[in-house]
Amino acid sequence: MRHTLAVLVENNPGVLARVAGLFSRRGYNIDSLAVGRTENPDISRMTIVVEGDDRVLEQVVKQLRKLVDVIKVQDITSEQYVSRELLLLKVHADSNTRGEIMQIVEIFRARIVDIGPKTLTIEATGDEDKIEAIENALRPFGIKELVRTGKIALLRGSRTSNINGVKEEE
């Protein structure tokens, strides 16, 4: 089972390396990892997707909580949350295929962000299923380059994962 962890950490140099090192030393695989500053510039938020059973998840959470820079770890897998990924994809596009590619981009509500003589660069956001669907739809045209951010997520409604450990309810 895949678990989504919301991890608040001190915004200090080396924190990402310590977290990644923990996963590496313990043999846990990170499915995706996204890191960015929060509303407080001293705190960063990591959204980590990890594959494993409940025993693996329990060990991951316990080990993360031992790291000095980690402020809070929350498994939001069973919570209601909004998640997104960002995809940038460069696809081969000549004059014969541009129209069809532009239709696919429109269907997925994506955007063309750059045009080259024989390529189009496309930006798409959405959940994992949507990102995989547009990637698969464009694959027959010849993907030249592709990058994905990994999942980012926030709890739905007025609930938050704040640093005081108090979850605000609606």
Side-chain angles (χ1 to χ4, degrees):
M1 179 177 178
R2 293 169 66 186
H3 296 272
T4 302
L5 301 177
V7 183
L8 297 177
V9 298
E10 300 286 340
N11 186 9
N12 294 328
V15 174
L16 177 59
R18 285 187 280 283
V19 170
L22 179 152
F23 277 80
S24 175
R25 283 189 308 277
R26 300 288 178 170
Y28 304 135
N29 186 40
I30 297 174
D31 192 63
S32 80
L33 170 65
V35 184
R37 274 188 274 168
T38 64
E39 67 283 357
N40 180 342
D42 296 329
I43 297 172
S44 293
R45 180 182 173 118
M46 296 182 172
T47 303
I48 304 171
V49 178
V50 60
E51 178 84 31
D53 57 21
D54 289 342
R55 187 188 61 76
V56 168
L57 178 68
E58 182 182 344
Q59 288 302 311
V60 167
V61 170
K62 283 181 179 175
Q63 295 300 318
L64 283 170
R65 288 184 174 144
K66 288 181 181 177
L67 295 177
V68 71
D69 300 306
V70 173
I71 299 167
K72 183 178 180 183
V73 180
Q74 184 177 11
D75 178 10
I76 63 170
T77 307
S78 61
E79 306 276 342
Q80 290 187 338
Y81 62 90
V82 177
S83 68
R84 294 289 183 269
E85 285 189 36
L86 169 66
L87 164 78
L88 287 176
L89 180 149
K90 187 176 292 183
V91 63
H92 178 75
D94 59 24
S95 59
N96 296 325
T97 58
R98 280 183 192 255
E100 191 175 351
I101 292 170
M102 291 170 73
Q103 286 179 340
I104 291 170
V105 167
E106 189 174 316
I107 289 169
F108 285 94
R109 296 184 187 155
R111 297 179 340 144
I112 295 171
V113 293
D114 190 48
I115 299 173
K118 294 184 178 182
T119 61
L120 292 173
T121 301
I122 296 158
E123 170 192 300
T125 59
D127 62 21
E128 184 178 354
D129 291 340
K130 177 183 173 182
I131 298 301
E132 287 182 14
I134 191 169
E135 182 182 329
N136 290 333
L138 293 171
R139 190 166 301 283
F141 298 97
I143 295 174
K144 298 178 74 72
E145 194 171 14
L146 178 151
V147 62
R148 292 170 67 159
T149 60
K151 181 191 281 188
I152 57 171
L154 288 177
L155 294 172
R156 284 195 173 274
S158 61
R159 295 179 310 151
T160 63
S161 299
N162 64 31
I163 60 173
N164 297 322
V166 178
K167 192 186 305 181
E168 298 174 12
E169 298 293 332
E170 293 178 286

